[in-house]
Amino acid sequence: MSDQFQGIAPMVYQSKINVPYSWWAGDTATRFFVALRDEKKITATKCGTCGKVFLPPRKACPLCFTANVEWVNVSDEGTVLTFSVARRQLAAIPHDRKIPVIWGLIKLDGADTAILHYLDEVKPEDVIIGMRVKAVFSETRKGTIRDISHFKPVK
Amino acid sequence: MAKRVAIVGTGQTFHKSHRPDVNGQELINEAVVKALADANLKMKDIDAIVIGNMDHFEGINYVDCWSVDGSGGTMKPIIKLTTGGTTGCTVAIGGYHLVGSGMFDKVLVIGWEKNSESDTTGAITTAFDPVWDRQVFAGAISGLAAEAQAYIARYGATDRDGARVSVRDRKHAMNNPYAQLRKEVTLEEVLASPMLADPIHLLDVCPRSDGACAVIMASEDTAEKICPKPDWIWATAARHTYSYLGDADFGRLTSMKEGSQELWKKAGIKEPRKEVDVIELYQPYSFGGLIWIEDMGIVGPGEAPRYIWDGNTDMGGELPINPSGGVIATNPIGATGLIRCAEAAMQVMGKAEGRQVPDVNFAFSSGFGGCFWTDMILHGKKKPK
Ligand SMILES: [Zn+2]
């Protein structure tokens, strides 16, 4: 590397720019989060044209482009479509999740799309694609997707 | 399309993990000067510029303006395009549209990145939905790992199959003086390297790089005067498939499938495996080299491991993939897609030196973003009909 410098060590300037954001979830997602927080219910929107049930709920069907006006309840049980095991404690992983973190896509019964979440109460080597899992709700719920703590195997 | 479009010159930096000896504009300038020299053009000949890099990587959000000292963009039409990992391919598609429209005759296209200046994980996290996916995130590699797991479960592939792709690309990089990592590895070394996210080992994935690439495009009015054997752009495609990660079909790259079908149709290609001569795939991890060539229709679903083990995609094989060493050897993200495009162009123009594939008629280059979006270009020796 030093041969690049031609006798001059370049200066380096450090920065920690702080750029705060507030993201409005909107009416549709908020309705989902309120039902999750207050009633431990998992809800989704259904397209009146193609009949597809979307989770996360979509205000309009992305394919038909018509408004999704119908809400349905979906099960708190579903199937693991795929997963991975994160072996490094990356900054993007919430601090309360310690490696190995099992992360996957879960298709809940009654929904046509999968949601992303953590799997727990299971060893990484025991997780298989196709296994049945059930939502474990957080004790203190604040109206976020982490009001579901994780999914655990159905015994 | 009003005008046919060709690539008439390319340039790239010697890619490194860190380039503390230059700032961003100076890095960009190295690639631009090389591309102009390759095309035997001067900056005054350039009618417009398209530039791009990855959002948040250098923390400079007016790159079109800030870069003019290096890009040559002072008092010229210049536009920034940025689409995450696909940026380098998107800027090429943007240049193609500008020249093809007939409004600009010669366009300079630039992709660059000083990845060493960024918080990669933080920047990549911004590619995911803040209310849903980011709340339950496990890093960008976990998304790729979940794709690989689904493919393995569906077709019975193994981590050895992935490792074979990494061995290939790292061997090919030995022929490319511009590549960052030029060290051969064995299958056993890949499998023994630390597990990042099951089934992806450290040696299955790309590094972080500082580098820039520039490509000059010209219309059919001047292309053959500038360059006797230009690289004609036959077709381009871009596809996105989801807003939330759970909508994607993990184990299949739907965006690649639909985009490449569009390319083959536009060019009248019936059997891509036989008609395409070389591929520069934006393949940031080894398993993508299995899954995605099936989605391209090179081989059928589940057939990629056998095809690759048989040496078909090695140099000298039926369809060499990543003669440059690809993304696993070099990844300055905003430049990476444009390096694929430049390398494919060099193959068509016969300028790929130690990594040249003989008699290239059609070449394919691609860009890949975050998780599962794809841009692509079909390059050809003959002028499109
Ligand atoms: Zn619909």
Side-chain angles (χ1 to χ4, degrees), chain B residues 137-202:
Chain B
F137 204 49
I141 287 178
S142 289
L144 299 176
E147 178 189 47
Q149 292 281 48
Y151 175 78
I152 285 169
R154 221 179 278 186
Y155 300 105
T158 69
D159 53 358
R160 293 178 66 81
D161 300 330
R164 174 65 176 78
V165 175
S166 184
V167 167
R168 176 197 71 198
D169 285 0
R170 290 170 194 277
K171 183 168 199 266
H172 288 180
M174 302 299 287
N175 298 326
N176 179 5
Y178 299 97
Q180 177 191 334
L181 299 179
R182 300 180 71 200
K183 187 175 183 298
E184 280 196 62
V185 297
T186 64
L187 209 62
E188 289 67 32
E189 284 168 333
V190 177
L191 296 171
S193 65
M195 187 70 89
L196 300 180
D198 304 23
I200 298 177
H201 294 87
L202 180 66

Side-chain angles (χ1 to χ4, degrees), chain A residues 1 4-5 10 23 25 29 32-33 56-58 82-88 90 92-94 103 105 113-114 116-118 129 145-146, chain B residues 16 18 20-21 121 125 130-139 142-143 145-146 149-150 153 194-198 244-247 250:
Chain A
M1 183 78 75
Q4 288 177 22
F5 294 164
W23 289 290
F32 170 93
F33 288 125
R58 252 41 75 89
T82 187
F83 71 99
S84 179
V85 185
R87 303 283 179 174
R88 297 269 169 108
L90 297 171
I93 298 173
W103 175 93
L105 280 107
T113 61
L116 215 60
H117 222 295
Y118 301 113
I129 289 175
I145 193 59
R146 298 206 61 209
Chain B
K16 311 269 186 212
H18 296 72
D21 56 318
T121 299
T125 302
V131 173
W132 294 91
D133 292 353
R134 267 187 235 178
Q135 301 297 321
V136 286
F137 204 49
S142 289
Q149 292 281 48
M195 187 70 89
L196 300 180
D198 304 23
Y244 304 100
L245 268 180
D247 294 350
F250 278 69

Side-chain angles (χ1 to χ4, degrees), chain B residues 151 157-172 187 204 252 273 279 281 283 285-296 298-322 328:
Chain B
Y151 175 78
T158 69
D159 53 358
R160 293 178 66 81
D161 300 330
R164 174 65 176 78
V165 175
S166 184
V167 167
R168 176 197 71 198
D169 285 0
R170 290 170 194 277
K171 183 168 199 266
H172 288 180
L187 209 62
D204 283 310
R252 289 265 63 106
R273 173 176 168 175
I279 291 171
L281 191 64
Q283 175 215 295
Y285 84 120
S286 62
F287 293 87
L290 302 168
I291 304 166
W292 304 345
I293 66 166
E294 296 175 7
D295 293 311
M296 287 171 67
I298 302 298
V299 292
E303 292 174 4
R306 184 75 267 150
Y307 188 65
I308 285 166
W309 279 106
D310 287 346
N312 290 297
T313 65
D314 298 339
M315 290 304 276
E318 178 182 61
L319 175 48
I321 298 182
N322 299 334
I328 279 181

Side-chain angles (χ1 to χ4, degrees), chain B residues 249-261:
Chain B
D249 178 13
F250 278 69
R252 289 265 63 106
L253 189 57
T254 312
S255 55
M256 174 65 94
K257 185 173 181 194
E258 295 219 352
S260 50
Q261 279 171 354

Side-chain angles (χ1 to χ4, degrees), chain A residues 31-144:
Chain A
R31 187 164 159 172
F32 170 93
F33 288 125
V34 168
L36 181 64
R37 181 190 65 193
D38 298 347
E39 302 170 65
K40 292 200 250 181
K41 270 192 183 155
I42 303 174
T43 54
T45 55
K46 183 174 181 178
C47 173
T49 307
C50 69
K52 239 180 143 179
V53 174
F54 291 98
L55 184 62
R58 252 41 75 89
K59 188 168 189 170
C61 175
L63 301 174
C64 305
F65 251 62
T66 48
N68 288 346
V69 290
E70 189 186 346
W71 282 82
V72 295
N73 291 325
V74 300
S75 174
D76 61 356
E77 285 190 24
T79 306
V80 174
L81 294 189
T82 187
F83 71 99
S84 179
V85 185
R87 303 283 179 174
R88 297 269 169 108
Q89 195 74 46
L90 297 171
I93 298 173
H95 298 300
D96 57 336
R97 286 269 150 207
K98 298 298 172 207
I99 54 161
V101 171
I102 315 172
W103 175 93
L105 280 107
I106 298 128
K107 192 160 154 186
L108 295 176
D109 298 345
D112 288 302
T113 61
I115 57 162
L116 215 60
H117 222 295
Y118 301 113
L119 302 178
D120 211 335
E121 300 183 53
V122 58
K123 290 195 202 114
E125 55 272 28
D126 293 337
V127 180
I128 55 164
I129 289 175
M131 80 189 286
R132 297 284 298 167
V133 292
K134 186 178 174 59
V136 176
F137 295 94
S138 301
E139 284 192 14
T140 49
R141 294 185 299 280
K142 299 170 183 168
T144 81

